[in-house]
């Protein structure tokens, strides 16, 4: 059995449809990077302000990274069978929901569970399951000679999102300057903004065309040699 290209898309999709899909992926990556860049700066401050000890903060951040790692493994193993568009939508909802709970809950166990389910990335870099799916879909949205430019644009969009997201960490101070909010409430509002940014990607990904899916309902076949490589990774 031979390997099939993981980036294969529905045959015969119009160029305009593929371009629209590419723009959706770029926009979604930008919103995710904004959210991730901001939460990477604010999550420790937010939790400390609401009474979390350093050890508890470490547990929450670790839980978020563990959830992201598990989600990455799942989409790598079964994302094509589950459906790429469906997986993107599910990840958006989980991320937004988890962020909302982290913003407004106070119990350590609840917040850690929400961070895990929401794949909260306290490292400030968007390197999760959605990014894996982006990179599986992106090559099929461009002609061979355009693929380097497509990936270059993707990386630029991500890096710009991370930079602007770090700037958004100033939102709590800005809010306190224009509204009678406590520091704790302004931090909750900023983490709520993180949740809204992820929720925005849900509405973007709803517009993805069937061209983002692989032709086979069972996904690409892997040769025994490739299975060994994946197992080692």
């Amino acid at each position: 059995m031979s390997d099939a290209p993981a980036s294969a898309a529905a045959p015969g999709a119009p160029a305009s449809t593929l371009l629209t899909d590419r723009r959706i992926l770029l926009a979604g990556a930008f919103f995710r990077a904004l959210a991730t860049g901001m939460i990477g700066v604010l999550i420790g401050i937010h939790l400390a302000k609401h009474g979390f000890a350093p050890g508890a903060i470490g547990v929450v951040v670790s839980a978020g990274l563990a959830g992201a790692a598990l989600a990455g493994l799942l989409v790598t193993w079964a994302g094509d069978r589950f459906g790429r568009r469906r997986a993107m939508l599910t990840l958006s909802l989980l991320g937004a929901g988890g962020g909302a709970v982290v913003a407004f809950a106070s119990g350590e166990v609840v917040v850690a569970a929400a961070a895990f389910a929401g794949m909260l990335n306290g490292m400030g870099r968007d390197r999760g399951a959605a990014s894996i799916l982006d990179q599986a879909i992106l090559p099929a949205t461009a002609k061979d000679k355009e693929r380097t430019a497509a990936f270059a644009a993707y990386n630029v969009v991500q890096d710009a999102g991370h930079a602007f997201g770090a700037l958004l960490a100033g939102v709590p101070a800005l809010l306190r300057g224009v509204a009678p909010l406590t520091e704790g409430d302004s931090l909750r509002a900023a983490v709520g903004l993180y949740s809204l940014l992820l929720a925005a990607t849900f509405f973007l990904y709803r517009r993805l065309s069937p061209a983002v899916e692989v032709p086979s309902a069972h996904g690409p076949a892997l040769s025994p040699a490739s299975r060994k490589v994946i197992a080692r990774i």
Side-chain angles (χ1 to χ4, degrees):
M1 185 178 293
S2 61
D3 293 341
S7 60
S16 60
T17 297
L18 297 179
L19 179 59
T20 297
D21 286 338
R22 192 191 320 163
R23 288 172 174 170
I24 290 170
L25 293 178
L26 293 177
F30 181 72
F31 279 112
R32 287 200 321 269
L34 274 179
T36 305
M38 180 178 68
I39 203 66
V41 177
L42 290 181
I43 185 61
I45 302 171
H46 166 70
L47 294 175
K49 184 62 181 178
H50 290 93
F52 282 59
I57 295 172
V59 168
V60 171
V61 173
S62 297
L65 294 174
L70 177 60
L73 177 63
L74 290 175
V75 300
T76 300
W77 190 260
D80 288 344
R81 292 191 294 274
F82 182 70
R84 292 172 173 179
R85 179 177 176 273
R86 185 188 302 173
M88 298 289 268
L89 292 170
T90 301
L91 292 169
S92 296
L93 290 178
L94 286 172
V101 174
V102 170
F104 298 104
S106 56
E108 294 179 3
V109 173
V110 173
V111 171
F116 178 83
M119 302 154 290
L120 188 144
N121 187 340
M123 303 303 291
R125 300 289 293 179
D126 179 31
R127 295 292 184 269
S131 183
I132 292 171
L133 289 168
D134 282 348
Q135 294 178 58
I137 297 168
L138 196 60
T141 67
K143 298 177 181 178
D144 290 350
K145 64 181 181 181
E146 298 173 341
R147 284 176 182 162
T148 299
F151 274 102
Y154 181 82
N155 288 324
V156 168
V157 162
Q158 271 201 325
D159 288 342
H162 292 141
F164 285 112
L167 286 175
L168 285 179
V171 163
L174 291 175
L175 289 175
R176 293 195 299 274
V178 299
L181 294 175
T182 65
E183 184 179 3
D185 287 341
S186 67
L187 286 164
R188 287 190 190 280
V191 180
L193 175 60
Y194 162 84
S195 177
L196 289 176
L197 288 169
L198 294 181
T201 64
F202 174 83
F203 297 99
L204 284 170
Y205 297 142
R206 286 183 63 186
R207 298 177 56 207
L208 286 170
S209 76
V212 303
E213 309 293 352
V214 292
S216 170
H218 301 289
L222 291 178
S223 68
S226 293
R227 291 181 186 276
K228 291 179 181 179
V229 171
I230 290 175
R232 287 199 300 271
I233 292 173

